[in-house]
Amino acid sequence: MSKIVIIGAGDFPKKEFPRYLVRCADRIICCDSALRTWLRVMVPIFGQERLPDAVVGDMDSLPKTLQRCFADRIVHISEQDDNDQTKAMRYAMEHYPDATEIHFIGATGKREDHTVGNMSLLMEYARLWGVSGLPSEGKPTVDMVTDYGTIFAVTDSCSLPVGEGRRISVFSPDNSLKIRSKGLVWPTDDVVFDNWWKATLNRASEDIVSLELSHKSLVLISLD
Amino acid sequence: MSKIVIIGAGDFPKKEFPRYLVRCADRIICCDSALRTWLRVMVPIFGQERLPDAVVGDMDSLPKTLQRCFADRIVHISEQDDNDQTKAMRYAMEHYPDATEIHFIGATGKREDHTVGNMSLLMEYARLWGVSGLPSEGKPTVDMVTDYGTIFAVTDSCSLPVGEGRRISVFSPDNSLKIRSKGLVWPTDDVVFDNWWKATLNRASEDIVSLELSHKSLVLISLD
């Protein structure tokens, strides 16, 4: 059983919850140049040095001096089909089979295309490894935690214990998907997912939000 | 002929280009609580007071005292089908028919679901009003300018004079769309747009990037 955080080069969070997750982590993986961010924040977070267990990426944005300095933990993966976040995720799945939680920290903010792309990769990981934001036998839960919320993928009908009043957005890249919902102020039953904003800015009207998908697909949930 | 900026309640940009666009604007519209941001930044930007021409929204997040203070320019639209950004856009389209440019400033950052939703609304405006990021007879160009880039919608085949080396991401919510491209390091010809990351993090290999769409659709371009 181990908890993993993967640090991206986006905005490193200022709030307590994501930083708490970092403090609780058994393994810390930095995506490429996020090592620089990490070296700046590790002492404020831990009160002492806490080097990452691995620095994964194509190393195109990490200065050579840092690469030499941390050569013992750098995992250089030069293929360009995946971005550094996905390389770090693959590394985690291959090297830490006992992982129970994987949290992406610093994966959003800064460039908007990175934010959108990185969020959508959570759905790709659900497709590739069957991992989602929900507990599942023998698989880690996977989410992205930022200063503004928690983002995770689901792939099938589910009940989410979000708490009444919680703000929730539902996304899907699948044009043919229909989602019947319970516990939302604006039910998603008639939503056609042909643009990203179609089921955003909703609110839980009950403690538990239930989503019933017309077929197994890719869905992204964002909670405030 | 007039230039319009619509100020959102996301991260107000620090960089010169978006602030320059604000300084050049003939009309300034604030989305609801973005008025608070505006009151903080207007003097640093203009060197003097420059009140917005309109403050548009459902006023659910603007303090009553500010609502009273600026009652002469508040446009209260209570319907909940559109968010404040779309209400401000509709106001601009209805009240400023001479608009030649509309720039969204502060529409991204903070909550990630807002960022994703607001970006995708550019495609909705292209559908509703035929406005895009490209010049078109009798219609304003519309884009979102942030500290990290420029985002705009296109709806048909086009040539984009982006400049060789420019980083570019292409998104579409349309699963059936195919885009043949020229001038990109990684051509999009074989991309199936069934997840958001599918044509992101590309780069222009020529000064002009040409996109040939299989059919008129909704496409979002992000340039760094």
Side-chain angles (χ1 to χ4, degrees):
Chain A
M1 295 222 345
S2 70
K3 299 176 182 179
I4 296 169
V5 296
I6 296 176
I7 311 290
D11 286 339
F12 194 87
K14 298 179 179 76
K15 292 198 177 160
E16 179 52 22
F17 178 50
R19 288 185 168 225
Y20 169 81
L21 293 176
V22 171
R23 251 193 308 273
C24 293
D26 301 296
R27 303 287 181 178
I28 294 169
I29 302 173
C30 287
C31 298
D32 208 328
S33 68
L35 173 63
R36 284 192 292 189
T37 315
W38 183 252
L39 295 175
R40 180 170 56 78
V41 300
M42 67 180 178
V43 174
I45 287 180
F46 284 95
Q48 61 183 30
E49 241 188 26
R50 166 65 171 93
L51 294 180
D53 299 272
V55 181
V56 180
D58 58 7
M59 300 302 137
D60 66 345
S61 49
L62 195 66
K64 285 276 184 290
T65 44
L66 278 179
Q67 290 189 41
R68 276 193 294 272
C69 217
F70 294 95
D72 61 334
R73 62 202 68 214
I74 278 181
V75 181
H76 188 160
I77 303 172
S78 53
E79 57 96 350
Q80 294 290 319
D81 290 340
D82 297 319
N83 73 352
D84 291 332
Q85 176 180 296
T86 298
K87 288 173 185 172
M89 178 68 185
R90 178 166 287 122
Y91 181 89
M93 292 301 290
E94 287 172 1
H95 288 76
Y96 307 124
D98 63 340
T100 48
E101 301 173 17
I102 299 178
H103 304 286
F104 289 91
I105 305 288
T108 66
K110 299 205 169 72
R111 271 178 57 183
E112 292 80 13
D113 53 346
H114 286 199
T115 290
V116 174
N118 287 346
M119 286 170 66
S120 74
L121 283 168
L122 293 180
M123 296 186 275
E124 192 65 20
Y125 307 152
R127 199 181 62 75
L128 278 171
W129 291 294
V131 293
S132 74
L134 302 173
S136 166
E137 191 70 39
K139 295 193 190 290
T141 57
V142 177
D143 59 24
M144 209 165 257
V145 181
T146 79
D147 276 341
Y148 306 101
T150 299
I151 304 156
F152 57 90
V154 300
T155 56
D156 207 349
S157 301
C158 56
S159 291
L160 307 170
V162 300
E164 188 263 326
R166 187 97 173 262
R167 288 188 288 189
I168 177 169
S169 289
V170 180
F171 301 97
S172 177
D174 178 355
N175 295 171
S176 66
L177 181 67
K178 300 288 277 185
I179 303 180
R180 289 170 61 87
S181 62
K182 263 188 67 182
L184 289 174
V185 172
W186 295 279
T188 58
D189 302 28
D190 298 323
V191 172
V192 178
F193 289 88
D194 57 1
N195 203 347
W196 306 341
W197 58 271
K198 283 298 191 80
T200 57
L201 314 188
N202 215 319
R203 193 178 285 271
S205 57
E206 299 172 26
D207 283 341
I208 294 176
V209 170
S210 301
L211 303 178
E212 188 191 323
L213 278 61
S214 57
H215 54 274
K216 284 193 185 194
S217 187
L218 299 177
V219 174
L220 196 69
I221 306 288
S222 167
L223 301 172
D224 71 349
Chain B
M1 298 221 345
S2 69
K3 298 177 182 180
I4 297 169
V5 296
I6 297 176
I7 311 291
D11 285 339
F12 194 87
K14 299 179 180 75
K15 291 198 177 160
E16 179 51 23
F17 179 50
R19 289 187 168 223
Y20 169 81
L21 293 176
V22 172
R23 250 194 309 271
C24 293
D26 301 295
R27 303 286 179 178
I28 295 169
I29 303 172
C30 287
C31 298
D32 208 327
S33 68
L35 173 63
R36 284 192 293 190
T37 315
W38 183 252
L39 295 174
R40 181 170 55 77
V41 300
M42 67 180 179
V43 174
I45 287 180
F46 284 96
Q48 62 182 32
E49 242 189 25
R50 165 65 171 93
L51 295 180
D53 298 271
V55 182
V56 180
D58 59 7
M59 301 301 136
D60 66 345
S61 49
L62 194 65
K64 284 277 185 289
T65 45
L66 278 180
Q67 291 190 40
R68 277 193 294 271
C69 216
F70 295 96
D72 61 334
R73 61 201 70 215
I74 279 182
V75 181
H76 189 161
I77 304 172
S78 52
E79 57 95 351
Q80 293 291 319
D81 290 340
D82 297 319
N83 73 353
D84 291 332
Q85 176 180 296
T86 298
K87 288 173 185 172
M89 178 69 184
R90 178 167 287 120
Y91 182 89
M93 293 301 290
E94 288 172 359
H95 288 76
Y96 306 124
D98 63 341
T100 47
E101 301 173 16
I102 299 178
H103 304 286
F104 288 92
I105 305 288
T108 65
K110 300 204 169 72
R111 272 178 57 184
E112 293 80 12
D113 54 347
H114 286 200
T115 290
V116 174
N118 287 346
M119 287 170 66
S120 75
L121 282 170
L122 294 180
M123 295 186 276
E124 193 63 21
Y125 307 152
R127 201 181 60 75
L128 278 172
W129 292 294
V131 293
S132 75
L134 302 175
S136 166
E137 190 70 39
K139 295 193 189 290
T141 58
V142 176
D143 59 24
M144 209 166 256
V145 181
T146 79
D147 276 342
Y148 306 101
T150 299
I151 305 156
F152 57 90
V154 299
T155 56
D156 208 346
S157 301
C158 56
S159 290
L160 306 171
V162 300
E164 189 264 324
R166 188 98 173 260
R167 289 188 286 189
I168 177 169
S169 289
V170 180
F171 302 97
S172 177
D174 178 355
N175 294 172
S176 67
L177 182 66
K178 300 288 277 186
I179 303 180
R180 290 170 61 86
S181 63
K182 263 189 66 181
L184 289 174
V185 173
W186 294 280
T188 57
D189 301 29
D190 298 325
V191 171
V192 178
F193 289 87
D194 57 0
N195 203 347
W196 307 340
W197 58 270
K198 283 299 192 80
T200 58
L201 313 188
N202 216 318
R203 193 178 284 270
S205 57
E206 300 171 27
D207 283 340
I208 294 176
V209 170
S210 301
L211 304 178
E212 188 191 325
L213 279 60
S214 58
H215 55 273
K216 284 192 184 195
S217 187
L218 299 177
V219 174
L220 197 68
I221 306 289
S222 167
L223 301 173
D224 71 348

